[in-house]
Amino acid sequence: MQTWVITEENHNARIDKLVVDLHGQASRTHVQRWIQDGAVQVNGSQIKANHKVQTGDRIELIEPEPEEVNIEPEEIPLDVVYEDEDVIVVNKPKGMVVHPAPGHYSGTLVNALLYHCNDLSGINGTIRPGIVHRIDKDTSGLLMAAKNDHAHEHLSKELKAKTTERQYKAIVHGVISHSKGTIDAPIGRDQKDRQKMAVTHVNSRPAITHFILEETFEEYSYVTCELETGRTHQIRVHFNYIDHPIAGDPKYGPKKTLAIAGQALHAETLGFTHPRTGEAMRFQAPVPPEMEELLKELRDKH
C-alpha cells in the first residue's frame, strides 16, 4: 500500500490527476479505474475521480496486481555489445520500444531479448523482464539488461547510488556559448499536458544533467551529456528548459528542425561494476549513421 498526506500546494486538486503525479508510472485511465474499484481511498473512504482533496487528507492506494500478459519471444536481430551469464549490453536502434506496453506488445527489445537469452531476471515482472533502465523509443544506444535477480538488484543499486556511467551525444538547437555546464532542475509531470514531463516544483523529483560542448555550427550545437539522475525524458526536458531543445524532438522541440526522424540523441557510453566479478565495465557505441550524416552536413555548411 502507498500513502500520501496532502500538503497545502495540492489543496483542492482533483484526486485522479494528483494520484497520476504522485504515482509517477500510472496513466490517468488506470488511476480512474482504481478509484472506481475502490483501490484509492481518502481518509479511509471511497471517492469519485473528480473528488477535490484538502490539506491534511490521507490518500491510500492499494495497487492491484498487474494483469498477466503473455509476452512472446521474437527473432529480432540484436546488436549485442557484451554478454555473459549475468548481464547483456545491447546497442538499441532508434525506433525500437524497450518493453511491451499497451499498443506495443510485439517488436520490442524485451521480445528480442526473450528469444536471444535463455533467461532474464524476473524482478520487474512479465512485462519488463531483465530491464534495469530504459531509453526512449527514438533514442538509440546502449542499454543493459539483467539475466538473473542478483544481477538486477546489483545494477539497480548502482543506478540509485549514481555510480553508473551514462553518456549521451546530442545535437541541439542554438549555439551554446559556454564549454560546459550543469542543468540542475527538478522534473515532474507537465501540468498542462499529461503526456509530457517538465521542469516543475510540483510533485517532482531531483534531476541533474552535466554537459560538455563538443562543436558549434551556424544554428546548432553538438554536446556530450552525462546523467547524474535518470528521470523520464530527462535530457530532452532539460535542454528544452535552457532553450536548446534536441534537434528532431517531436515532443519537446520546435517544428522547424533538422531532417531526422525523432530526436538526435544517442546513448554512447555505458559503464557499471560487474554484479559478479566486481570488474569495472565500460562500453561505447558510435552515433548511428543517420546522426553522423547530419553532423557532416552541419560541418560542411559551417
Side-chain angles (χ1 to χ4, degrees):
M1 181 172 69
Q2 297 184 66
T3 62
W4 302 279
V5 177
I6 301 305
T7 57
E8 194 172 324
E9 68 178 354
N10 290 318
H11 178 80
N12 218 34
R14 270 182 64 128
I15 184 69
D16 56 349
K17 290 184 178 180
L18 185 59
V19 171
V20 169
D21 292 334
L22 295 172
H23 186 279
Q25 298 291 328
S27 68
R28 194 165 172 188
T29 302
H30 276 115
V31 170
Q32 288 175 340
R33 189 179 303 133
W34 293 344
I35 291 171
Q36 188 176 356
D37 294 341
V40 178
Q41 296 193 352
V42 176
N43 301 326
S45 300
Q46 193 166 346
I47 36 75
K48 293 183 178 180
N50 62 357
H51 176 84
K52 301 288 184 71
V53 297
Q54 308 299 307
T55 303
D57 281 352
R58 180 184 178 87
I59 301 176
E60 295 180 346
L61 166 63
I62 302 176
E63 189 171 338
E65 288 294 320
E67 295 179 16
E68 288 292 317
V69 178
N70 189 26
I71 305 302
E72 296 291 338
E74 295 179 32
E75 190 175 1
I76 301 169
L78 280 176
D79 182 2
V80 178
V81 177
Y82 175 82
E83 183 178 10
D84 62 25
E85 61 185 328
D86 297 298
V87 64
I88 180 170
V89 178
V90 299
N91 182 16
K92 185 189 82 69
K94 175 180 283 198
M96 177 181 269
V97 175
V98 170
H99 62 75
H104 290 283
Y105 285 119
S106 66
T108 74
L109 180 65
V110 163
N111 295 106
L113 286 171
L114 286 172
Y115 183 89
H116 179 85
C117 303
N118 291 327
D119 198 13
L120 291 169
S121 74
I123 287 177
N124 275 345
T126 58
I127 294 291
R128 306 180 190 181
I131 299 302
V132 182
H133 67 122
R134 296 179 294 171
I135 55 180
D136 298 334
K137 173 190 172 187
D138 286 326
T139 297
S140 57
L142 296 176
L143 183 143
M144 59 185 171
K147 288 190 168 185
N148 53 65
D149 289 356
H150 168 74
H152 198 131
E153 289 172 355
H154 175 92
L155 295 171
S156 294
K157 284 178 182 176
E158 277 202 52
L159 281 166
K160 192 171 184 180
K162 303 176 183 176
T163 57
T164 306
E165 182 185 5
R166 288 171 292 168
Q167 288 185 358
Y168 290 69
K169 284 289 195 288
I171 302 173
V172 303
H173 280 265
V175 179
I176 295 177
S177 58
H178 34 285
S179 62
K180 62 181 179 180
T182 294
I183 308 167
D184 184 349
I187 291 176
R189 188 74 57 181
D190 191 315
Q191 298 296 298
K192 296 177 182 177
D193 183 345
R194 316 304 297 175
Q195 303 300 313
K196 296 171 68 174
M197 307 301 286
V199 169
T200 175
H201 290 280
V202 178
N203 301 318
S204 58
R205 299 173 71 188
I208 300 173
T209 304
H210 306 285
F211 69 88
I212 296 171
L213 180 64
E214 301 288 352
E215 292 180 73
T216 57
F217 311 105
E218 190 174 340
E219 297 179 343
Y220 295 91
S221 298
Y222 185 44
V223 294
T224 296
C225 313
E226 182 152 6
L227 290 179
E228 186 169 320
T229 55
R231 309 302 174 216
T232 301
H233 301 169
Q234 179 171 314
I235 294 174
R236 299 164 66 188
V237 171
H238 268 171
F239 275 86
N240 181 49
Y241 177 67
I242 65 169
D243 296 324
H244 291 287
I246 307 291
D249 192 330
K251 192 179 288 284
Y252 300 100
K255 289 183 179 179
K256 186 179 180 182
T257 186
L258 296 175
I260 185 172
Q263 59 272 7
L265 182 62
H266 174 72
E268 181 191 50
T269 304
L270 178 63
F272 56 89
T273 303
H274 193 278
R276 188 182 300 268
T277 67
E279 180 186 354
M281 314 290 287
R282 191 173 190 268
F283 305 97
Q284 287 191 299
V287 297
E290 181 189 28
M291 195 164 159
E292 191 61 63
E293 184 60 33
L294 279 179
L295 288 168
K296 183 178 182 300
E297 290 176 10
L298 290 170
R299 289 170 186 140
D300 289 345
K301 288 179 182 178
H302 195 59

